[in-house]
Amino acid sequence: MKINEIMRSLETLAPLSFQESYDNAGLITGNAGWDCSGVMITLDATEAVINEAISKKCNLVIAHHPIVFKGMKKITGKNYVERTIITAIKNDVAIYAIHTNLDNVLQGVNKMIADKIGLKNTQVLQPKEAMLKKLITFVPLDQAAKVRDALFAAGAGNIGKYSECSYNTEGEGTFKPGELAKPFVGEIGKRQEEKELKIELIFPAYLEEKLIRAMNDSHPYEEVAYDILPLGNYLSEVGSGLVGVLENELDEVALMHLLKEKFGLQLIRHTAFTGKKVKKIALCGGAGIFLLNAAKAGGADVYITADVKYHEFFDAEGTILLADIGHYESEQFTTDLLFDYLTQNYPNFAVLKTALNTNPVQYFL
């Protein structure tokens, strides 16, 4: 199996276009055309993890966090990032990062956290903007169903929990084939009037090329007329954080004990208890303080995240319980998510999880 086949599978789960602008998800070292000898899954692609992958004959390391975030002008081995890159390149190990694109899908990193807590009716806390487009095309009446079905199969027409959504308007199109044309209907040099169906569908922006291919392959016309329009609508299944409800409300102390148990926590940094029962919980794995206002606006009783700075705890303002459970701790089950996904898709292929704990934070109790 080629590395690029595994990459395509991962990008079906979490398209690269869903990553944030500052991120560096995707293939970082190696060649997508290499044969893959085995996969090692980790939260962090450290030098020790690369060596572990080498020892277990895995030439693809899939990490949640990209080892390279910023531009690098020199690679001399002076720090852990450069040493990791050098080790990977010298040993023909590909490193692939699946970071904020996996954070931003409904079934991604945050869903793992929500499932551990037992949240129900989960939805994206802050959906991403400008992720949707509309395709409009014009098809002869008798061929319209074929084209529409091809567009549905390619991923167009999904709105929330509904699929195969389209709007169709019957009208009349005109065209005059030129001398070199090979018209599906009509004659060279004569204007043709044709009953057509105007088909309108929305789609996630990352599917644009796929949809154009599906439309052209299924459309009877030699030259296909179509429009693609950007939309301001939210894509409700894609975005930052998650919010859901507990089946049974808890008091705040009981919630803290639940978090310690489910995530193996030694401590939790949090604001003062509000004295309210906990029912609705918002969360974001990793550094997610930027979503605090969204959690408050959404009526959450608690916001769970990581990497909260001292002064940022004040921003809870006593209206919500803010809990910092640690960056590594909040995202630790991402390796399970990726392992389960890949083993389900490739049951006869070597997929391993690192045996190393890559958390750089230690606690002295």
Side-chain angles (χ1 to χ4, degrees):
M1 180 161 33
K2 302 292 185 184
I3 286 175
N4 57 20
E5 182 179 340
I6 298 171
M7 289 171 52
R8 282 194 297 270
S9 179
L10 291 171
E11 288 162 21
T12 299
L13 171 67
L16 289 178
S17 60
F18 289 174
Q19 69 179 304
E20 299 298 330
S21 59
Y22 60 80
D23 202 7
N24 189 34
L27 191 63
I28 294 175
T29 67
N31 189 318
W34 286 347
D35 289 327
C36 186
S37 60
V39 175
M40 175 71 68
I41 300 172
T42 181
L43 201 64
D44 305 283
T46 64
E47 189 177 6
V49 170
I50 302 301
N51 285 323
E52 180 189 17
I54 295 166
S55 71
K56 295 180 179 177
K57 303 187 185 312
C58 296
N59 70 338
L60 174 59
V61 171
I62 299 173
H64 182 48
H65 297 133
I67 185 64
V68 177
F69 258 115
K70 305 173 184 175
M72 301 174 67
K73 294 185 177 180
K74 299 178 181 178
I75 304 178
T76 61
K78 69 177 182 294
N79 58 44
Y80 82 97
V81 173
E82 294 181 7
R83 289 192 299 273
T84 301
I85 295 299
I86 290 171
T87 302
I89 291 173
K90 287 178 66 176
N91 292 277
D92 289 340
V93 175
I95 301 175
Y96 183 90
I98 181 166
H99 190 213
T100 54
N101 51 323
L102 188 60
D103 291 331
N104 284 338
V105 294
L106 188 59
Q107 299 299 321
V109 174
N110 294 314
K111 185 63 162 54
M112 296 296 288
I113 303 171
D115 287 348
K116 290 292 178 182
I117 299 171
L119 295 188
K120 309 293 183 184
N121 303 323
T122 53
Q123 56 187 346
V124 171
L125 179 60
Q126 183 172 283
K128 289 181 75 67
E129 298 179 359
M131 296 297 293
L132 288 171
K133 292 186 176 183
K134 178 187 281 190
L135 171 65
I136 303 171
T137 190
F138 310 85
V139 192
L141 293 180
D142 291 344
Q143 283 74 38
K146 177 184 176 183
V147 174
R148 191 169 48 216
D149 288 346
L151 291 170
F152 289 153
N158 295 314
I159 302 176
K161 298 176 181 178
Y162 295 83
S163 62
E164 301 189 7
C165 303
S166 68
Y167 190 76
N168 304 272
T169 311
E170 190 172 331
E172 185 173 84
T174 65
F175 51 87
K176 182 166 71 173
E179 290 185 5
L180 299 179
K182 297 178 181 179
F184 173 72
V185 292
E187 299 179 28
I188 301 295
K190 293 184 178 180
R191 185 172 65 199
Q192 174 73 16
E193 297 180 352
E194 185 69 19
K195 295 292 184 182
E196 295 178 335
L197 200 68
K198 177 184 179 182
I199 304 172
E200 303 180 50
L201 316 93
I202 67 168
F203 64 92
Y206 75 94
L207 288 177
E208 182 171 334
E209 291 183 7
K210 182 179 180 181
L211 288 175
I212 292 174
R213 287 195 301 270
M215 176 184 65
N216 286 330
D217 289 345
S218 60
H219 204 292
Y221 285 171
E222 183 178 21
E223 300 289 348
V224 180
Y226 67 94
D227 301 320
I228 292 181
L229 309 176
L231 301 178
N233 308 49
Y234 291 110
L235 183 54
S236 59
E237 299 86 4
V238 178
S240 303
L242 212 63
V243 62
V245 295
L246 294 169
E247 188 169 350
N248 299 302
E249 64 181 16
L250 296 173
D251 63 44
E252 293 166 312
V253 173
L255 175 66
M256 292 296 157
H257 284 300
L258 177 66
L259 294 176
K260 290 188 71 174
E261 174 194 346
K262 296 298 184 181
F263 295 89
L265 307 178
Q266 299 181 58
L267 58 86
I268 301 173
R269 299 166 64 231
H270 63 88
T271 54
F273 292 140
T274 65
K276 299 184 296 185
K277 292 289 186 179
V278 174
K279 181 71 173 179
K280 191 172 188 179
I281 296 178
L283 56 88
C284 179
I289 193 61
F290 68 99
L291 292 173
L292 176 60
N293 286 336
K296 292 162 68 175
D301 303 307
V302 180
Y303 180 49
I304 300 166
T305 188
D307 296 348
V308 181
K309 296 178 182 178
Y310 174 83
H311 287 98
E312 291 170 337
F313 279 100
F314 285 110
D315 295 334
E317 296 186 301
T319 61
I320 189 171
L321 175 61
L322 173 61
D324 182 334
I325 65 173
H327 196 123
Y328 177 90
E329 290 82 359
S330 68
E331 296 182 331
Q332 62 185 295
F333 301 110
T334 304
T335 54
D336 295 330
L337 167 64
L338 293 171
F339 178 83
D340 292 344
Y341 179 77
L342 288 178
T343 52
Q344 287 168 10
N345 284 275
Y346 307 105
N348 299 316
F349 190 73
V351 179
L352 306 175
K353 291 186 286 186
T354 180
L356 303 175
N357 183 327
T358 61
N359 190 359
V361 181
Q362 303 296 308
Y363 303 100
F364 184 81
L365 299 178

